[in-house]
Amino acid sequence: MNSIHFRSFGVIRTVFYPSWPQLPNLLTCRHIVDIRKSQIKGDFLAMKKDQLLIDRLADAAREGKISRRSFMNYSIAAGLTASTATGLWGTAAKAEPKRGGKFRIGCHDGNTSETHDPGQYYSFTTIQLIHSFRSYLTMINPDGSLGGDVATEWSPANGATEWTFKLNDKATFHKAGKLKASDVIASMNHHRGEASTSVAKSLLSDVVDIVDNGDHSITFKLASANADLPWLMTDYHLAIVPGNEDGTANWQSVDGCGPYRLEEHEMGVNYRLVRHDDWHGEGAYFDEIELVVLNDPNARQSALITGDVDAVSLIENKTMALMERNQDVSIKNVPSASAITLPMHCDTAPFDNVDVRMALKLALNREELLEKIMFGAATIGNDYHHSPAMPYWPDLEQRQYDPDQAKSLLKKAGMENLEVNLSVADSVTSGAVDMCVLYAEHAKAAGIKINVVREPNDGYYSDVWLKKPWCAVSWGARPTPDVMYSLTYKDDATWNESRWQNERFNVLLREGKAETDDARRSEIYREMGQIARDDGGTVIPFFPNWVYATRANVGHGDQFAASWPLDGGRASSRWWFNS
């Protein structure tokens, strides 16, 4: 480790760097003399030259050539306080968007079994794709608030048992012309009814009818109140497609009314899109979008470093610090309500025994996983699918690693020396296989043998998830606990991945959905969290941050939606090239 010592504003300061060739170019300009000859002399930067450095840093921020972390480090080294540096970053980083160029994204979690049917969406590559060429009634803004997409405004009536959405009269499909209220109704009805095969069917189970009001607005009529319905409309399955004359959804046309139109694609391999000039929203600064499926993490990282892609959707946490040293790369480390789950089929032995489920929860050292697998880029989990990033979060007693108690529970269940298989694939999350291997080591102290089964990346969510009795799963963030619990913990949910049934939990779920009093709603979700924690069939080790990266010339706002990687899956419409 080398260092530079210099005087700044009357204070001797030190900058550490690994080796001379890696010292950032920002510090090798003419205002820095030959450091190797002057390290012991000190005082080679005066106040005026500190200002030159600060100016250069500000220019680099405006041009997108430096990460926020590097900007802060060097600004403080040049004499600025942390608060002043933060303010300067906020001002400098707000570059004006520019139009043009082809934005190339290296995506993880892509599969050849993917489909354009919104009711069957499941992979991240699909999520990035559909937010590029299809639209929704509402969207999650970069600051986490709820915004309009095809809907310009919405309002409840009759105690939130009715919701009316006014539609944007500028919204047009790429092929089918102007968007009509009937198109939106057909898109929503695709997920409703006995004949629907949509995995989002349970989300709309309380919808009795959807009415065209004749004034370019629609009204959802509900069997019971749902205070979260506008948030629910952001779920990535509820994409809007053209409607057929018979009222069905024409998803087979591969049409959409999003910012880009899909020109070419090979499912699970690559996709090419071009700007839809009649898009109703703001943004869509790139001329073209290219999505390339790179399930291998090393391939994604190499493609970014070499400039073969402009952004990647997921990087390995263990390489995060190393990549931050590369001035051509900018790392985004975004806390979120996404989750890693390990669901056990509660209707399948040995997981049908609650003592076995609890033993497996106690046999996991979560703190060590956060340190060694996630490198701190996560929030510890507590076996209920409700993170601190979501509203109404219940701060329940944190479960601790207790192999002795786990062993005692297995003895009670008559299942000492338990042996189980745990399926996982590299594409689930950064370090997913290593996570399961480390878990297996933890479990040995409880007398449990976990056989880690490494599954192929391709087809993992069609061939393993929901089919094999224990596996690792990556969940994107949902905006409210009701949406998350309705989607995958409700008794009749298509995605009830643990096949868990708990009558009290489902009663509370219905009550919480309709409750408009925040205090009572918090109490409901607290009890639901406790039930899931102690009886449920899902181990939740942590809520990972979204850690992704771009080339330094990619411009964007100063906040990122935490629902999915790449700014909630909307990088293609929100970002731009600085140069």
Side-chain angles (χ1 to χ4, degrees), residues 327-341:
Q327 63 178 345
D328 295 324
V329 171
S330 177
I331 306 297
K332 323 297 181 187
N333 188 355
V334 184
S336 78
S338 62
I340 298 300
T341 65

Side-chain angles (χ1 to χ4, degrees), residues 226 228 232 480-487 509 512-513 521 525:
N226 188 342
D228 288 342
L232 188 148
T480 68
D482 174 69
V483 174
M484 190 69 250
Y485 286 142
S486 297
L487 191 63
L509 180 60
K513 186 190 297 288
R521 215 172 188 202
Y525 289 126

Side-chain angles (χ1 to χ4, degrees), residues 94-159:
K94 291 180 180 177
E96 288 296 320
K98 298 179 181 179
R99 293 176 72 88
K102 178 194 286 188
F103 186 45
R104 303 159 301 168
I105 305 175
C107 290
H108 74 289
D109 186 25
N111 302 272
T112 56
S113 57
E114 289 165 3
T115 174
H116 290 298
D117 179 356
Q120 304 300 321
Y121 290 156
Y122 61 88
S123 76
F124 173 73
T125 294
T126 299
I127 290 168
Q128 179 62 45
L129 174 67
I130 57 176
H131 284 102
S132 299
F133 88 99
R134 284 178 169 161
S135 289
Y136 296 79
L137 278 171
T138 57
M139 72 166 75
I140 297 175
N141 293 322
D143 65 0
S145 63
L146 186 66
D149 189 344
V150 162
T152 57
E153 58 184 77
W154 46 92
S155 57
N158 298 328

Side-chain angles (χ1 to χ4, degrees), residues 412-431:
K412 174 187 172 185
M415 295 189 188
E416 296 169 282
N417 302 313
L418 178 69
E419 182 174 350
V420 289
N421 293 339
L422 174 57
S423 292
V424 64
D426 290 299
S427 61
V428 170
T429 191
S430 175

Side-chain angles (χ1 to χ4, degrees), residues 6-7 53 84 110 112 114 139 170 173 183-184 187 218 234 241 323 331 371 408 434 438 458 469 524 535 558 564:
F6 60 90
R7 184 180 303 277
L53 174 56
T84 301
T112 56
E114 289 165 3
M139 72 166 75
K170 296 180 180 179
F173 288 105
D183 297 316
V184 180
S187 299
I218 61 171
T234 68
V241 300
M323 291 186 69
I331 306 297
E371 176 188 354
S408 176
D434 291 340
L438 185 54
D458 189 43
I524 289 171
D535 182 68
D558 56 3
W564 294 100

Side-chain angles (χ1 to χ4, degrees), residues 279-403:
W279 185 43
H280 57 274
E282 297 180 1
Y285 302 108
F286 302 111
D287 295 329
E288 293 185 42
I289 304 294
E290 182 180 4
L291 307 182
V292 181
V293 176
L294 298 172
N295 283 325
D296 181 77
N298 293 323
R300 286 196 303 276
Q301 181 171 307
S302 296
L304 182 68
I305 291 174
T306 58
D308 290 333
V309 297
D310 305 299
V312 292
S313 58
L314 181 70
I315 66 168
E316 296 274 76
N317 289 351
K318 62 186 177 183
T319 64
M320 182 168 48
L322 179 63
M323 291 186 69
E324 283 184 324
R325 299 175 188 171
N326 187 331
Q327 63 178 345
D328 295 324
V329 171
S330 177
I331 306 297
K332 323 297 181 187
N333 188 355
V334 184
S336 78
S338 62
I340 298 300
T341 65
L342 306 175
M344 302 169 266
H345 288 179
C346 295
D347 60 356
T348 304
F351 309 119
D352 55 350
N353 188 306
V354 67
D355 290 326
V356 171
R357 301 199 294 268
M358 181 61 75
L360 288 167
K361 294 173 182 178
L362 292 166
L364 175 63
N365 188 330
R366 300 157 204 268
E367 289 82 0
E368 189 171 16
L369 284 188
L370 257 67
E371 176 188 354
K372 294 185 177 180
I373 303 300
M374 299 306 293
F375 296 85
T379 302
I380 194 166
N382 203 14
D383 301 330
Y384 56 94
H385 205 143
H386 193 163
S387 90
M390 298 169 73
Y392 311 107
W393 177 64
D395 187 10
L396 302 176
E397 180 183 358
Q398 177 61 50
R399 174 158 288 140
Q400 302 296 323
Y401 177 49
D402 193 342

